[in-house]
Amino acid sequence: NYKTERSKLISPLTSMSIDLTAAEIIEAVLGREYFIDLPDSLGDEDTTDVERAREILVNDMRDEGFIDEFAKAVLNGCLYGNGIMKI
C-alpha cells in the first residue's frame, strides 16, 4: 500500500553491538562494590563515618532497584541516543 516499506528486521549484529555497548557502560559505572564516592569534608582522620554513610546509601539504592533502572536507562540511551532517568 505504501511506496516504501519500513523493515521490521532487527539485525543480530546490531542487537549484539547495542547490548555490548550497554554492558560496557554498566560495568564501567557499577563494576565496583561502591559505585559512588562521598568526600570527607570534615578533615578529620576518622573516615568510618563517611564509609558507613556511603555503605548505607549504596544499600538503599540497591534495595530501591537503582541498578535495574540504571541498566534500562543505559539501554535506552544506546538505542535512542538519550538516556533519561527520573530520581
Side-chain angles (χ1 to χ4, degrees):
N1 296 342
Y2 300 102
K3 292 180 182 178
T4 60
E5 294 286 332
R6 294 190 101 178
S7 174
K8 304 238 185 223
L9 173 73
I10 299 173
S11 169
L13 290 177
T14 303
S15 177
M16 185 175 71
S17 174
I18 290 171
D19 288 340
L20 182 65
T21 302
E24 286 179 359
I25 293 170
I26 292 168
E27 180 63 29
V29 174
L30 303 176
R32 300 179 295 156
E33 182 179 358
Y34 297 112
F35 46 86
I36 60 170
D37 190 24
L38 295 176
D40 191 1
S41 62
L42 296 177
D44 59 350
E45 300 204 8
D46 184 23
T47 60
T48 57
D49 56 343
V50 175
E51 290 173 5
R52 181 69 181 136
R54 178 177 59 185
E55 183 179 318
I56 291 170
L57 180 61
V58 169
N59 286 335
D60 287 346
M61 290 172 77
R62 285 187 174 137
D63 291 343
E64 291 297 321
F66 170 77
I67 294 175
D68 294 333
E69 293 301 318
F70 180 77
K72 288 178 189 176
V74 168
L75 183 60
N76 284 332
C78 290
L79 284 172
Y80 303 114
N82 290 327
I84 299 172
M85 290 182 65
K86 181 179 180 181
I87 297 176

